[in-house]
Structures are given as C-alpha cells and as structure tokens.
Amino acid sequence: MAKLQFFGTRAAGAPARIRLKKDDIVKVIAGKDKGKTGRILEVDQEKGRVLVEGVGMIKRHTRPNPARQVKGGIAEREAPIHVSNVMLTTSGGVPTRIGIKVENVGGKMRRTRVARKSGETLDKK
C-alpha cells in the first residue's frame, strides 16, 4: 500500500484550490465545446470540476414515477467539466487567468480576485 506524500500544503492527487465561483462567466478553452461561454452553476472543489450552463450537454433517460410527479423520457442536462478546460472572462469578455490581490481594509486583510491580463477587479463588491 502506497503512502500519501505531501508536497507543500496539499496531498498528492488532491486538486488545487479553485478560484472560480458560482455565477462567474467562463469560456471553454478545450474539449468538444471549445469556444462556448456560459455561467457557472456549481463548483465541485473535491473533484476539481465545474457545471457550466449550456456546456457539456448529455442525454439522461428517465423512467416515469407518478409518485414523485416525474415525467419519463429523454432529458438533456449539463455534465461537469474539468476546471482546467475553462477560463474566467472579464466584463469585456476577454478570457483571463485569475490572480489574488491582498489589501488592508480597515485593519482587516481582504483577498480580492483580479484579472491577470488587465488587472481588473473580478469580485463584485
């Protein structure tokens, strides 16, 4: 049985911290939906995946269940895609990497996300 090796602050195989948040607008940079843009519906920190509106559509076959008012048939829904395949867009629609700017506000340290390309603040506060 292999031992878990630690490099820095996280275990080997564990995903890096995801700087994307729900309701961010992202552009797909790799995969079958390359070039599409959409809003993030859900972020899975453990698996390192995001659910993007209208991207990675799959067909789900469901059986009707009258007790739960579930109608049967083929439903289309989004599948999660890996975080490395999406890139955050700025307000101008330019895809960019995310940087962190730490500033001292009223004696408190506040971390804000900034665009690496333009330096624009990405957090809506």
Side-chain angles (χ1 to χ4, degrees):
M1 191 156 131
K3 287 185 179 178
L4 256 172
Q5 291 182 331
F6 286 93
F7 299 102
T9 57
R10 63 185 179 100
R17 182 184 160 108
I18 298 172
R19 291 180 174 161
L20 295 170
K21 294 180 180 179
K22 187 178 172 179
D23 293 329
D24 281 344
I25 304 296
V26 294
K27 183 172 186 172
V28 180
I29 58 170
K32 68 173 186 169
D33 292 317
K34 182 177 178 175
K36 287 187 180 178
T37 57
R39 189 171 53 91
I40 292 182
L41 302 173
E42 190 179 313
V43 178
D44 189 347
Q45 295 277 356
E46 287 81 35
K47 293 182 181 174
R49 293 184 171 268
V50 290
L51 200 65
V52 183
E53 190 174 42
V55 174
M57 300 303 283
I58 57 168
K59 289 186 180 348
R60 175 90 178 151
H61 297 257
T62 55
R63 180 176 285 141
N65 188 346
R68 291 189 185 164
Q69 284 81 34
V70 174
K71 198 173 177 184
I74 301 170
E76 262 195 303
R77 64 181 180 110
E78 294 91 358
I81 60 173
H82 200 267
V83 167
S84 65
N85 295 333
V86 296
M87 195 176 255
L88 186 70
T89 57
T90 60
S91 60
V94 180
T96 181
R97 290 177 294 150
I98 306 166
I100 299 291
K101 184 175 150 189
V102 181
E103 49 193 25
N104 197 352
V105 179
K108 291 184 180 178
M109 299 298 279
R110 177 167 283 171
R111 293 162 44 103
T112 55
R113 299 182 307 158
V114 293
R116 287 273 180 94
K117 273 189 181 175
S118 62
E120 174 188 338
T121 303
L122 300 168
D123 291 325
K124 301 157 188 95
K125 288 278 175 184

